[in-house]
Amino acid sequence: MQPNVTPGRLFALDLARTAALAGMVAYHFTYDLALFGLIAPETPVTGGWLIFARSIATSFLFLVGVGLWLAHRRGVQWSKVWRRLLIVGGAAAAITLAAWATVALPVFDRPALLWVGLGTVRPFTVDYVPVFPWFGALLAGIAAAGLADRAGLWTWLARRRGGPVLRTLSWPGRYSLAIYLIHQPVLIGLIWAYLQISR
């Protein structure tokens, strides 16, 4: 096998995404419990839970950076970029309809510019992660993936298939966007059903 070649998907990367998804689901479950008044309302937005939430967001963005490096290190494949941008952008628009950082300027308080993260008002949403300063986590993922590529880590990982248990655990990581979109309605529905039954 040639150096710096990564055939197919890396189950280890999918496994890392699964771990990030598990953390996200655990955090959102806690958030939903607070939303329904089953635990103190400040629980998910203070102390260790707040640090946990920021860690999860950082891990997802870091893994996006790693994935970008692996997908485009031999040159940007624009068809993939535009396709992914349409999928993620469409999902973001759907979430926005359904439902700051180093510089603060009132001009960025406009709804169309909230994604930048440079406004004076923070939107009331638990999953708000603006471009600045969070873009740094994505850049760190790209840089780390490049260093790992030079060290031959991706080639080494490509040869590791893992056992059936690890491969099964990596499965959710292949569908992280879909799980992100559906997990909250499922969690909220389960908690609501529990409250109806337990009355």
PDB file of all heavy atoms in Angstrom, residues 60-95:
ATOM      1  N   PHE A  60     -17.101  17.857  17.539  1.00  0.00           N
ATOM      2  CA  PHE A  60     -17.740  17.755  16.231  1.00  0.00           C
ATOM      3  C   PHE A  60     -17.012  18.606  15.196  1.00  0.00           C
ATOM      4  O   PHE A  60     -16.748  18.151  14.073  1.00  0.00           O
ATOM      5  CB  PHE A  60     -19.210  18.186  16.306  1.00  0.00           C
ATOM      6  CG  PHE A  60     -20.145  17.071  16.638  1.00  0.00           C
ATOM      7  CD1 PHE A  60     -20.804  17.039  17.847  1.00  0.00           C
ATOM      8  CD2 PHE A  60     -20.381  16.039  15.734  1.00  0.00           C
ATOM      9  CE1 PHE A  60     -21.674  16.010  18.165  1.00  0.00           C
ATOM     10  CE2 PHE A  60     -21.249  15.008  16.034  1.00  0.00           C
ATOM     11  CZ  PHE A  60     -21.902  14.993  17.260  1.00  0.00           C
ATOM     12  N   LEU A  61     -16.692  19.841  15.552  1.00  0.00           N
ATOM     13  CA  LEU A  61     -16.007  20.726  14.606  1.00  0.00           C
ATOM     14  C   LEU A  61     -14.608  20.221  14.287  1.00  0.00           C
ATOM     15  O   LEU A  61     -14.151  20.300  13.133  1.00  0.00           O
ATOM     16  CB  LEU A  61     -15.963  22.148  15.160  1.00  0.00           C
ATOM     17  CG  LEU A  61     -17.335  22.834  15.234  1.00  0.00           C
ATOM     18  CD1 LEU A  61     -17.248  24.116  16.040  1.00  0.00           C
ATOM     19  CD2 LEU A  61     -17.871  23.108  13.836  1.00  0.00           C
ATOM     20  N   PHE A  62     -13.918  19.699  15.290  1.00  0.00           N
ATOM     21  CA  PHE A  62     -12.593  19.117  15.066  1.00  0.00           C
ATOM     22  C   PHE A  62     -12.695  17.954  14.077  1.00  0.00           C
ATOM     23  O   PHE A  62     -11.892  17.846  13.139  1.00  0.00           O
ATOM     24  CB  PHE A  62     -12.023  18.634  16.403  1.00  0.00           C
ATOM     25  CG  PHE A  62     -10.626  18.090  16.302  1.00  0.00           C
ATOM     26  CD1 PHE A  62      -9.536  18.929  16.420  1.00  0.00           C
ATOM     27  CD2 PHE A  62     -10.412  16.740  16.099  1.00  0.00           C
ATOM     28  CE1 PHE A  62      -8.238  18.432  16.329  1.00  0.00           C
ATOM     29  CE2 PHE A  62      -9.124  16.229  16.015  1.00  0.00           C
ATOM     30  CZ  PHE A  62      -8.038  17.076  16.128  1.00  0.00           C
ATOM     31  N   LEU A  63     -13.692  17.090  14.261  1.00  0.00           N
ATOM     32  CA  LEU A  63     -13.861  15.948  13.357  1.00  0.00           C
ATOM     33  C   LEU A  63     -14.264  16.387  11.948  1.00  0.00           C
ATOM     34  O   LEU A  63     -13.898  15.733  10.968  1.00  0.00           O
ATOM     35  CB  LEU A  63     -14.895  14.981  13.933  1.00  0.00           C
ATOM     36  CG  LEU A  63     -14.432  14.212  15.182  1.00  0.00           C
ATOM     37  CD1 LEU A  63     -15.588  13.446  15.810  1.00  0.00           C
ATOM     38  CD2 LEU A  63     -13.278  13.269  14.841  1.00  0.00           C
ATOM     39  N   VAL A  64     -14.996  17.486  11.848  1.00  0.00           N
ATOM     40  CA  VAL A  64     -15.297  18.039  10.522  1.00  0.00           C
ATOM     41  C   VAL A  64     -13.999  18.437   9.824  1.00  0.00           C
ATOM     42  O   VAL A  64     -13.801  18.164   8.638  1.00  0.00           O
ATOM     43  CB  VAL A  64     -16.251  19.249  10.625  1.00  0.00           C
ATOM     44  CG1 VAL A  64     -16.312  20.018   9.310  1.00  0.00           C
ATOM     45  CG2 VAL A  64     -17.652  18.785  11.016  1.00  0.00           C
ATOM     46  N   GLY A  65     -13.104  19.073  10.580  1.00  0.00           N
ATOM     47  CA  GLY A  65     -11.811  19.450  10.015  1.00  0.00           C
ATOM     48  C   GLY A  65     -11.020  18.244   9.554  1.00  0.00           C
ATOM     49  O   GLY A  65     -10.422  18.250   8.468  1.00  0.00           O
ATOM     50  N   VAL A  66     -11.013  17.184  10.366  1.00  0.00           N
ATOM     51  CA  VAL A  66     -10.322  15.947   9.975  1.00  0.00           C
ATOM     52  C   VAL A  66     -10.935  15.395   8.693  1.00  0.00           C
ATOM     53  O   VAL A  66     -10.217  15.012   7.757  1.00  0.00           O
ATOM     54  CB  VAL A  66     -10.408  14.895  11.108  1.00  0.00           C
ATOM     55  CG1 VAL A  66      -9.892  13.541  10.630  1.00  0.00           C
ATOM     56  CG2 VAL A  66      -9.609  15.363  12.324  1.00  0.00           C
ATOM     57  N   GLY A  67     -12.262  15.340   8.646  1.00  0.00           N
ATOM     58  CA  GLY A  67     -12.934  14.822   7.455  1.00  0.00           C
ATOM     59  C   GLY A  67     -12.644  15.651   6.210  1.00  0.00           C
ATOM     60  O   GLY A  67     -12.471  15.106   5.117  1.00  0.00           O
ATOM     61  N   LEU A  68     -12.579  16.970   6.378  1.00  0.00           N
ATOM     62  CA  LEU A  68     -12.259  17.834   5.233  1.00  0.00           C
ATOM     63  C   LEU A  68     -10.868  17.529   4.698  1.00  0.00           C
ATOM     64  O   LEU A  68     -10.649  17.487   3.480  1.00  0.00           O
ATOM     65  CB  LEU A  68     -12.361  19.302   5.643  1.00  0.00           C
ATOM     66  CG  LEU A  68     -13.764  19.884   5.765  1.00  0.00           C
ATOM     67  CD1 LEU A  68     -13.725  21.271   6.371  1.00  0.00           C
ATOM     68  CD2 LEU A  68     -14.453  19.909   4.400  1.00  0.00           C
ATOM     69  N   TRP A  69      -9.916  17.355   5.606  1.00  0.00           N
ATOM     70  CA  TRP A  69      -8.559  17.022   5.160  1.00  0.00           C
ATOM     71  C   TRP A  69      -8.550  15.706   4.389  1.00  0.00           C
ATOM     72  O   TRP A  69      -7.964  15.612   3.315  1.00  0.00           O
ATOM     73  CB  TRP A  69      -7.603  16.945   6.336  1.00  0.00           C
ATOM     74  CG  TRP A  69      -6.250  16.446   5.923  1.00  0.00           C
ATOM     75  CD1 TRP A  69      -5.808  15.157   5.913  1.00  0.00           C
ATOM     76  CD2 TRP A  69      -5.190  17.223   5.378  1.00  0.00           C
ATOM     77  NE1 TRP A  69      -4.524  15.085   5.426  1.00  0.00           N
ATOM     78  CE2 TRP A  69      -4.117  16.344   5.086  1.00  0.00           C
ATOM     79  CE3 TRP A  69      -5.018  18.581   5.127  1.00  0.00           C
ATOM     80  CZ2 TRP A  69      -2.917  16.786   4.563  1.00  0.00           C
ATOM     81  CZ3 TRP A  69      -3.819  19.012   4.604  1.00  0.00           C
ATOM     82  CH2 TRP A  69      -2.787  18.119   4.324  1.00  0.00           C
ATOM     83  N   LEU A  70      -9.185  14.700   4.932  1.00  0.00           N
ATOM     84  CA  LEU A  70      -9.175  13.387   4.295  1.00  0.00           C
ATOM     85  C   LEU A  70      -9.872  13.401   2.945  1.00  0.00           C
ATOM     86  O   LEU A  70      -9.455  12.727   2.004  1.00  0.00           O
ATOM     87  CB  LEU A  70      -9.836  12.354   5.214  1.00  0.00           C
ATOM     88  CG  LEU A  70      -9.050  12.014   6.481  1.00  0.00           C
ATOM     89  CD1 LEU A  70      -9.863  11.107   7.385  1.00  0.00           C
ATOM     90  CD2 LEU A  70      -7.708  11.365   6.143  1.00  0.00           C
ATOM     91  N   ALA A  71     -10.940  14.184   2.824  1.00  0.00           N
ATOM     92  CA  ALA A  71     -11.699  14.210   1.570  1.00  0.00           C
ATOM     93  C   ALA A  71     -11.035  15.048   0.486  1.00  0.00           C
ATOM     94  O   ALA A  71     -11.217  14.781  -0.709  1.00  0.00           O
ATOM     95  CB  ALA A  71     -13.108  14.732   1.838  1.00  0.00           C
ATOM     96  N   HIS A  72     -10.243  16.059   0.884  1.00  0.00           N
ATOM     97  CA  HIS A  72      -9.763  17.031  -0.109  1.00  0.00           C
ATOM     98  C   HIS A  72      -8.250  17.259  -0.086  1.00  0.00           C
ATOM     99  O   HIS A  72      -7.763  18.226  -0.678  1.00  0.00           O
ATOM    100  CB  HIS A  72     -10.473  18.372   0.105  1.00  0.00           C
ATOM    101  CG  HIS A  72     -11.958  18.280   0.068  1.00  0.00           C
ATOM    102  ND1 HIS A  72     -12.668  18.086  -1.092  1.00  0.00           N
ATOM    103  CD2 HIS A  72     -12.865  18.318   1.073  1.00  0.00           C
ATOM    104  CE1 HIS A  72     -13.963  18.035  -0.817  1.00  0.00           C
ATOM    105  NE2 HIS A  72     -14.105  18.160   0.485  1.00  0.00           N
ATOM    106  N   ARG A  73      -7.476  16.392   0.563  1.00  0.00           N
ATOM    107  CA  ARG A  73      -6.048  16.677   0.686  1.00  0.00           C
ATOM    108  C   ARG A  73      -5.309  16.612  -0.638  1.00  0.00           C
ATOM    109  O   ARG A  73      -4.216  17.145  -0.753  1.00  0.00           O
ATOM    110  CB  ARG A  73      -5.411  15.751   1.711  1.00  0.00           C
ATOM    111  CG  ARG A  73      -5.322  14.295   1.293  1.00  0.00           C
ATOM    112  CD  ARG A  73      -4.788  13.496   2.484  1.00  0.00           C
ATOM    113  NE  ARG A  73      -4.535  12.112   2.156  1.00  0.00           N
ATOM    114  CZ  ARG A  73      -5.457  11.160   2.197  1.00  0.00           C
ATOM    115  NH1 ARG A  73      -6.696  11.476   2.537  1.00  0.00           N
ATOM    116  NH2 ARG A  73      -5.154   9.923   1.891  1.00  0.00           N
ATOM    117  N   ARG A  74      -5.874  15.972  -1.631  1.00  0.00           N
ATOM    118  CA  ARG A  74      -5.232  15.942  -2.957  1.00  0.00           C
ATOM    119  C   ARG A  74      -5.813  17.001  -3.888  1.00  0.00           C
ATOM    120  O   ARG A  74      -5.549  16.995  -5.072  1.00  0.00           O
ATOM    121  CB  ARG A  74      -5.398  14.548  -3.573  1.00  0.00           C
ATOM    122  CG  ARG A  74      -4.496  13.522  -2.932  1.00  0.00           C
ATOM    123  CD  ARG A  74      -4.624  12.181  -3.644  1.00  0.00           C
ATOM    124  NE  ARG A  74      -3.574  11.270  -3.240  1.00  0.00           N
ATOM    125  CZ  ARG A  74      -3.486  10.694  -2.047  1.00  0.00           C
ATOM    126  NH1 ARG A  74      -4.408  10.943  -1.136  1.00  0.00           N
ATOM    127  NH2 ARG A  74      -2.499   9.871  -1.758  1.00  0.00           N
ATOM    128  N   GLY A  75      -6.624  17.883  -3.344  1.00  0.00           N
ATOM    129  CA  GLY A  75      -7.263  18.931  -4.135  1.00  0.00           C
ATOM    130  C   GLY A  75      -8.744  18.969  -3.800  1.00  0.00           C
ATOM    131  O   GLY A  75      -9.369  17.936  -3.575  1.00  0.00           O
ATOM    132  N   VAL A  76      -9.286  20.166  -3.780  1.00  0.00           N
ATOM    133  CA  VAL A  76     -10.694  20.331  -3.425  1.00  0.00           C
ATOM    134  C   VAL A  76     -11.576  19.704  -4.494  1.00  0.00           C
ATOM    135  O   VAL A  76     -11.455  19.998  -5.679  1.00  0.00           O
ATOM    136  CB  VAL A  76     -11.046  21.820  -3.259  1.00  0.00           C
ATOM    137  CG1 VAL A  76     -12.517  21.981  -2.938  1.00  0.00           C
ATOM    138  CG2 VAL A  76     -10.188  22.444  -2.170  1.00  0.00           C
ATOM    139  N   GLN A  77     -12.463  18.817  -4.059  1.00  0.00           N
ATOM    140  CA  GLN A  77     -13.443  18.192  -4.956  1.00  0.00           C
ATOM    141  C   GLN A  77     -14.748  18.977  -4.828  1.00  0.00           C
ATOM    142  O   GLN A  77     -15.573  18.713  -3.955  1.00  0.00           O
ATOM    143  CB  GLN A  77     -13.630  16.725  -4.579  1.00  0.00           C
ATOM    144  CG  GLN A  77     -12.335  15.928  -4.691  1.00  0.00           C
ATOM    145  CD  GLN A  77     -12.516  14.484  -4.289  1.00  0.00           C
ATOM    146  OE1 GLN A  77     -13.544  13.877  -4.564  1.00  0.00           O
ATOM    147  NE2 GLN A  77     -11.509  13.927  -3.629  1.00  0.00           N
ATOM    148  N   TRP A  78     -14.909  19.946  -5.726  1.00  0.00           N
ATOM    149  CA  TRP A  78     -15.993  20.912  -5.582  1.00  0.00           C
ATOM    150  C   TRP A  78     -17.375  20.289  -5.640  1.00  0.00           C
ATOM    151  O   TRP A  78     -18.297  20.778  -4.985  1.00  0.00           O
ATOM    152  CB  TRP A  78     -15.843  22.014  -6.626  1.00  0.00           C
ATOM    153  CG  TRP A  78     -14.702  22.923  -6.300  1.00  0.00           C
ATOM    154  CD1 TRP A  78     -13.501  22.992  -6.926  1.00  0.00           C
ATOM    155  CD2 TRP A  78     -14.639  23.863  -5.217  1.00  0.00           C
ATOM    156  NE1 TRP A  78     -12.688  23.912  -6.323  1.00  0.00           N
ATOM    157  CE2 TRP A  78     -13.364  24.473  -5.263  1.00  0.00           C
ATOM    158  CE3 TRP A  78     -15.533  24.256  -4.220  1.00  0.00           C
ATOM    159  CZ2 TRP A  78     -12.975  25.453  -4.367  1.00  0.00           C
ATOM    160  CZ3 TRP A  78     -15.137  25.225  -3.308  1.00  0.00           C
ATOM    161  CH2 TRP A  78     -13.879  25.811  -3.399  1.00  0.00           C
ATOM    162  N   SER A  79     -17.547  19.228  -6.395  1.00  0.00           N
ATOM    163  CA  SER A  79     -18.871  18.604  -6.443  1.00  0.00           C
ATOM    164  C   SER A  79     -19.273  18.090  -5.066  1.00  0.00           C
ATOM    165  O   SER A  79     -20.421  18.237  -4.625  1.00  0.00           O
ATOM    166  CB  SER A  79     -18.893  17.463  -7.462  1.00  0.00           C
ATOM    167  OG  SER A  79     -17.957  16.450  -7.103  1.00  0.00           O
ATOM    168  N   LYS A  80     -18.319  17.502  -4.322  1.00  0.00           N
ATOM    169  CA  LYS A  80     -18.592  17.044  -2.957  1.00  0.00           C
ATOM    170  C   LYS A  80     -18.859  18.218  -2.025  1.00  0.00           C
ATOM    171  O   LYS A  80     -19.731  18.155  -1.151  1.00  0.00           O
ATOM    172  CB  LYS A  80     -17.412  16.232  -2.423  1.00  0.00           C
ATOM    173  CG  LYS A  80     -17.278  14.848  -3.009  1.00  0.00           C
ATOM    174  CD  LYS A  80     -16.149  14.109  -2.320  1.00  0.00           C
ATOM    175  CE  LYS A  80     -16.011  12.693  -2.845  1.00  0.00           C
ATOM    176  NZ  LYS A  80     -14.919  11.954  -2.169  1.00  0.00           N
ATOM    177  N   VAL A  81     -18.087  19.286  -2.205  1.00  0.00           N
ATOM    178  CA  VAL A  81     -18.248  20.459  -1.349  1.00  0.00           C
ATOM    179  C   VAL A  81     -19.645  21.038  -1.502  1.00  0.00           C
ATOM    180  O   VAL A  81     -20.349  21.299  -0.516  1.00  0.00           O
ATOM    181  CB  VAL A  81     -17.188  21.533  -1.675  1.00  0.00           C
ATOM    182  CG1 VAL A  81     -17.506  22.835  -0.951  1.00  0.00           C
ATOM    183  CG2 VAL A  81     -15.804  21.037  -1.292  1.00  0.00           C
ATOM    184  N   TRP A  82     -20.080  21.258  -2.752  1.00  0.00           N
ATOM    185  CA  TRP A  82     -21.388  21.862  -2.985  1.00  0.00           C
ATOM    186  C   TRP A  82     -22.522  20.951  -2.538  1.00  0.00           C
ATOM    187  O   TRP A  82     -23.515  21.412  -1.979  1.00  0.00           O
ATOM    188  CB  TRP A  82     -21.563  22.243  -4.456  1.00  0.00           C
ATOM    189  CG  TRP A  82     -20.658  23.363  -4.865  1.00  0.00           C
ATOM    190  CD1 TRP A  82     -19.673  23.337  -5.800  1.00  0.00           C
ATOM    191  CD2 TRP A  82     -20.643  24.698  -4.323  1.00  0.00           C
ATOM    192  NE1 TRP A  82     -19.037  24.550  -5.871  1.00  0.00           N
ATOM    193  CE2 TRP A  82     -19.614  25.405  -4.984  1.00  0.00           C
ATOM    194  CE3 TRP A  82     -21.389  25.349  -3.353  1.00  0.00           C
ATOM    195  CZ2 TRP A  82     -19.329  26.738  -4.698  1.00  0.00           C
ATOM    196  CZ3 TRP A  82     -21.098  26.685  -3.061  1.00  0.00           C
ATOM    197  CH2 TRP A  82     -20.084  27.351  -3.737  1.00  0.00           C
ATOM    198  N   ARG A  83     -22.346  19.652  -2.746  1.00  0.00           N
ATOM    199  CA  ARG A  83     -23.381  18.709  -2.320  1.00  0.00           C
ATOM    200  C   ARG A  83     -23.525  18.733  -0.802  1.00  0.00           C
ATOM    201  O   ARG A  83     -24.630  18.801  -0.268  1.00  0.00           O
ATOM    202  CB  ARG A  83     -23.026  17.290  -2.800  1.00  0.00           C
ATOM    203  CG  ARG A  83     -24.026  16.233  -2.372  1.00  0.00           C
ATOM    204  CD  ARG A  83     -23.637  14.870  -2.956  1.00  0.00           C
ATOM    205  NE  ARG A  83     -24.527  13.844  -2.496  1.00  0.00           N
ATOM    206  CZ  ARG A  83     -24.384  13.168  -1.356  1.00  0.00           C
ATOM    207  NH1 ARG A  83     -23.357  13.430  -0.573  1.00  0.00           N
ATOM    208  NH2 ARG A  83     -25.253  12.237  -0.997  1.00  0.00           N
ATOM    209  N   ARG A  84     -22.391  18.680  -0.109  1.00  0.00           N
ATOM    210  CA  ARG A  84     -22.438  18.687   1.355  1.00  0.00           C
ATOM    211  C   ARG A  84     -22.962  20.010   1.880  1.00  0.00           C
ATOM    212  O   ARG A  84     -23.708  20.057   2.865  1.00  0.00           O
ATOM    213  CB  ARG A  84     -21.031  18.413   1.899  1.00  0.00           C
ATOM    214  CG  ARG A  84     -21.007  18.102   3.376  1.00  0.00           C
ATOM    215  CD  ARG A  84     -21.700  16.806   3.654  1.00  0.00           C
ATOM    216  NE  ARG A  84     -21.641  16.473   5.070  1.00  0.00           N
ATOM    217  CZ  ARG A  84     -22.326  15.505   5.626  1.00  0.00           C
ATOM    218  NH1 ARG A  84     -23.121  14.760   4.893  1.00  0.00           N
ATOM    219  NH2 ARG A  84     -22.230  15.269   6.908  1.00  0.00           N
ATOM    220  N   LEU A  85     -22.568  21.108   1.222  1.00  0.00           N
ATOM    221  CA  LEU A  85     -23.034  22.425   1.639  1.00  0.00           C
ATOM    222  C   LEU A  85     -24.542  22.536   1.507  1.00  0.00           C
ATOM    223  O   LEU A  85     -25.223  23.093   2.378  1.00  0.00           O
ATOM    224  CB  LEU A  85     -22.339  23.509   0.809  1.00  0.00           C
ATOM    225  CG  LEU A  85     -22.578  24.949   1.246  1.00  0.00           C
ATOM    226  CD1 LEU A  85     -22.064  25.168   2.665  1.00  0.00           C
ATOM    227  CD2 LEU A  85     -21.907  25.912   0.284  1.00  0.00           C
ATOM    228  N   LEU A  86     -25.081  21.984   0.429  1.00  0.00           N
ATOM    229  CA  LEU A  86     -26.533  21.997   0.246  1.00  0.00           C
ATOM    230  C   LEU A  86     -27.239  21.171   1.318  1.00  0.00           C
ATOM    231  O   LEU A  86     -28.273  21.580   1.859  1.00  0.00           O
ATOM    232  CB  LEU A  86     -26.899  21.472  -1.149  1.00  0.00           C
ATOM    233  CG  LEU A  86     -26.639  22.434  -2.303  1.00  0.00           C
ATOM    234  CD1 LEU A  86     -26.882  21.738  -3.643  1.00  0.00           C
ATOM    235  CD2 LEU A  86     -27.546  23.661  -2.180  1.00  0.00           C
ATOM    236  N   ILE A  87     -26.677  20.022   1.637  1.00  0.00           N
ATOM    237  CA  ILE A  87     -27.293  19.155   2.654  1.00  0.00           C
ATOM    238  C   ILE A  87     -27.260  19.817   4.024  1.00  0.00           C
ATOM    239  O   ILE A  87     -28.284  19.933   4.706  1.00  0.00           O
ATOM    240  CB  ILE A  87     -26.583  17.787   2.693  1.00  0.00           C
ATOM    241  CG1 ILE A  87     -26.852  17.006   1.405  1.00  0.00           C
ATOM    242  CG2 ILE A  87     -27.036  16.975   3.909  1.00  0.00           C
ATOM    243  CD1 ILE A  87     -26.024  15.737   1.274  1.00  0.00           C
ATOM    244  N   VAL A  88     -26.070  20.271   4.428  1.00  0.00           N
ATOM    245  CA  VAL A  88     -25.927  20.877   5.757  1.00  0.00           C
ATOM    246  C   VAL A  88     -26.673  22.209   5.822  1.00  0.00           C
ATOM    247  O   VAL A  88     -27.351  22.503   6.815  1.00  0.00           O
ATOM    248  CB  VAL A  88     -24.441  21.052   6.116  1.00  0.00           C
ATOM    249  CG1 VAL A  88     -24.282  21.812   7.425  1.00  0.00           C
ATOM    250  CG2 VAL A  88     -23.757  19.696   6.215  1.00  0.00           C
ATOM    251  N   GLY A  89     -26.568  23.014   4.759  1.00  0.00           N
ATOM    252  CA  GLY A  89     -27.279  24.294   4.733  1.00  0.00           C
ATOM    253  C   GLY A  89     -28.787  24.113   4.773  1.00  0.00           C
ATOM    254  O   GLY A  89     -29.499  24.838   5.468  1.00  0.00           O
ATOM    255  N   GLY A  90     -29.277  23.115   4.048  1.00  0.00           N
ATOM    256  CA  GLY A  90     -30.711  22.825   4.074  1.00  0.00           C
ATOM    257  C   GLY A  90     -31.163  22.361   5.447  1.00  0.00           C
ATOM    258  O   GLY A  90     -32.222  22.769   5.935  1.00  0.00           O
ATOM    259  N   ALA A  91     -30.340  21.519   6.080  1.00  0.00           N
ATOM    260  CA  ALA A  91     -30.674  21.054   7.426  1.00  0.00           C
ATOM    261  C   ALA A  91     -30.675  22.216   8.418  1.00  0.00           C
ATOM    262  O   ALA A  91     -31.562  22.323   9.268  1.00  0.00           O
ATOM    263  CB  ALA A  91     -29.681  19.983   7.872  1.00  0.00           C
ATOM    264  N   ALA A  92     -29.694  23.107   8.297  1.00  0.00           N
ATOM    265  CA  ALA A  92     -29.626  24.267   9.191  1.00  0.00           C
ATOM    266  C   ALA A  92     -30.837  25.167   8.996  1.00  0.00           C
ATOM    267  O   ALA A  92     -31.415  25.674   9.968  1.00  0.00           O
ATOM    268  CB  ALA A  92     -28.335  25.042   8.939  1.00  0.00           C
ATOM    269  N   ALA A  93     -31.243  25.367   7.740  1.00  0.00           N
ATOM    270  CA  ALA A  93     -32.420  26.192   7.464  1.00  0.00           C
ATOM    271  C   ALA A  93     -33.678  25.556   8.043  1.00  0.00           C
ATOM    272  O   ALA A  93     -34.534  26.237   8.616  1.00  0.00           O
ATOM    273  CB  ALA A  93     -32.565  26.391   5.950  1.00  0.00           C
ATOM    274  N   ALA A  94     -33.782  24.231   7.922  1.00  0.00           N
ATOM    275  CA  ALA A  94     -34.945  23.534   8.460  1.00  0.00           C
ATOM    276  C   ALA A  94     -35.012  23.658   9.973  1.00  0.00           C
ATOM    277  O   ALA A  94     -36.083  23.891  10.547  1.00  0.00           O
ATOM    278  CB  ALA A  94     -34.907  22.065   8.047  1.00  0.00           C
ATOM    279  N   ILE A  95     -33.862  23.513  10.636  1.00  0.00           N
ATOM    280  CA  ILE A  95     -33.826  23.643  12.103  1.00  0.00           C
ATOM    281  C   ILE A  95     -34.183  25.070  12.515  1.00  0.00           C
ATOM    282  O   ILE A  95     -34.929  25.296  13.467  1.00  0.00           O
ATOM    283  CB  ILE A  95     -32.431  23.264  12.649  1.00  0.00           C
ATOM    284  CG1 ILE A  95     -32.199  21.761  12.466  1.00  0.00           C
ATOM    285  CG2 ILE A  95     -32.287  23.648  14.114  1.00  0.00           C
ATOM    286  CD1 ILE A  95     -30.790  21.316  12.759  1.00  0.00           C
TER     287      ILE A  95
END
